[in-house]
């Protein structure tokens, strides 16, 4: 009987060790994917394309516009309660063109499809994509499948707290796995 108890403890410890090893490996693997992903420097492009929902990223994108990053800014927006695209960004008067849109579906893939459609309509061949840092890897992967032009992924630090980071780490990990199994746009 004593042997059986020690075997169970050994087995539990072994399972716990494997679980912790997998958790550590996942945590370390996610650092270059979500925390410090390969992010591009903005260069002149046809559009600065802001992934939604809007946040301080839009103000950062407007700074890029003032620096001459593009002649057009496109901002992904959720629909308001009355089913319209509304927001101070959309009504603003600037020296550059502002396009606010609501992708269907309101997902990264929907935004990628919208970029491809807008590119065809407006003749865009290049885009500076502004996304939260944790989203740069996956968004770039999806957008490059849909948009044939030059894509520069610009990460914006959202200033997340530890709980928001934990959520995004888990969410982006699952979404990255999902994106890996989708081959088309």
């Amino acid at each position: 009987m004593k042997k059986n108890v020690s075997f169970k403890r050994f087995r539990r410890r072994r399972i716990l060790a494997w679980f912790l090893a997998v958790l550590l490996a996942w945590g370390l693997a996610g650092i270059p994917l979500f925390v410090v992903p390969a992010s591009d420097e903005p260069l002149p492009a046809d559009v600065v394309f802001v992934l939604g929902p809007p946040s301080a990223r839009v103000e950062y994108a407007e700074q890029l516009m003032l620096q001459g990053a593009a002649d057009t800014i496109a901002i992904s927006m959720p629909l308001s309660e009355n089913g319209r695209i509304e927001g101070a960004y959309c009504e603003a008067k600037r020296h550059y063109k502002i396009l606010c849109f609501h992708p269907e579906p309101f997902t990264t893939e929907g935004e990628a499809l919208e970029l491809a459609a807008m590119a065809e309509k407006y003749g865009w061949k290049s885009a500076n994509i502004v996304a939260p840092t944790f989203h740069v890897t996956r968004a770039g992967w999806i957008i490059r499948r849909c948009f044939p032009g030059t894509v520069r992924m610009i990460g914006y630090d959202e200033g997340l707290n530890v709980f928001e980071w934990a959520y995004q780490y888990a969410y982006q990990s699952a979404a990255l796995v999902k994106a890996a199994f989708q081959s088309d746009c």
Side-chain angles (χ1 to χ4, degrees):
M1 179 113 168
K2 200 171 194 182
K3 224 181 198 183
N4 195 16
V5 171
S6 66
F7 178 73
K8 285 183 180 180
R9 280 190 203 148
F10 173 75
R11 190 171 170 197
R12 279 190 226 140
R13 286 181 185 159
R14 192 171 174 188
I15 290 170
L16 179 61
W18 273 105
F19 174 76
L20 291 175
V22 168
L23 191 62
L24 179 64
W26 171 56
L28 292 174
I31 290 172
L33 296 173
F34 313 126
V35 181
V36 286
S39 188
D40 300 311
E41 289 296 319
L43 290 176
D46 295 318
V47 64
V48 170
F49 197 86
V50 185
L51 301 184
S55 69
R57 284 188 303 278
V58 176
E59 292 157 15
Y60 173 67
E62 287 187 307
Q63 290 174 9
L64 295 177
M65 296 301 293
L66 294 174
Q67 295 168 11
D71 294 327
T72 303
I73 185 171
I75 306 167
S76 179
M77 301 285 289
L79 295 177
S80 67
E81 290 179 10
N82 63 11
R84 295 186 186 160
I85 297 173
E86 296 175 350
Y89 307 117
C90 303
E91 285 88 37
K93 301 293 182 222
R94 302 284 195 269
H95 71 276
Y96 47 83
K97 187 174 190 174
I98 301 172
L99 300 172
C100 290
F101 66 95
H102 178 75
E104 282 298 330
F106 192 55
T107 62
T108 306
E109 186 176 353
E111 290 167 328
L113 290 166
E114 191 67 33
L115 172 60
M118 288 178 159
E120 190 171 313
K121 179 178 180 179
Y122 297 109
W124 298 339
K125 304 269 188 262
S126 60
N128 287 315
I129 311 293
V130 179
T133 302
F134 57 78
H135 192 34
V136 164
T137 301
R138 183 171 66 88
W141 198 4
I142 293 169
I143 288 168
R144 286 182 177 99
R145 288 194 296 219
C146 299
F147 176 63
T150 303
V151 172
R152 301 195 59 77
M153 295 302 300
I154 293 110
Y156 178 79
D157 182 4
E158 295 281 328
L160 303 181
N161 66 40
V162 70
F163 300 107
E164 292 167 324
W165 263 113
Y167 170 78
Q168 285 301 333
Y169 222 83
Y171 180 88
Q172 294 299 326
S173 295
L176 193 62
V177 170
K178 177 184 170 192
F181 288 99
Q182 295 174 322
S183 59
D184 58 339
C185 180

